[in-house]
Amino acid sequence: MNIRSVADLGPGESAIISGFMDDALSLKLLEMGCLPGQPIKFNFAAPLGDPICVSVSGYDLSLRLDEAITISIQ
C-alpha cells in the first residue's frame, strides 16, 4: 500500500487527513487544526516550492514541505 502525504497533492487538490507519520511533530500539527478526518486542500506553493499553503479547519495554513510530508492522507 502506497501512503500519500499532503506534499503529494497539487494546487487545487483536496484530501482527507488520515493520520501522521512523525509522532514528535503530530502534536504541533494537531494544535494547528490538522485533525484526522478533516478535509485539507492544497492551495499553492511558494515560488521555489517551499513552503506551501493549505486550507484546513476553516483557515489557511503555511507548512514547510518537511512538515507536509508527515501528514498522511486518503
Side-chain angles (χ1 to χ4, degrees), residues 11-61:
E13 291 184 319
S14 296
I16 302 296
I17 298 173
S18 61
F20 305 100
M21 295 180 247
D22 181 336
D23 290 335
L25 190 57
S26 64
L27 180 59
K28 176 183 173 184
L29 294 167
L30 286 166
E31 289 172 345
M32 291 191 294
C34 296
L35 305 171
Q38 287 288 319
I40 188 166
K41 179 182 176 190
F42 187 113
N43 294 325
F44 59 89
L48 295 177
D50 191 17
I52 63 171
C53 177
V54 297
S55 293
V56 63
S57 298
Y59 63 95
D60 292 338
L61 179 63

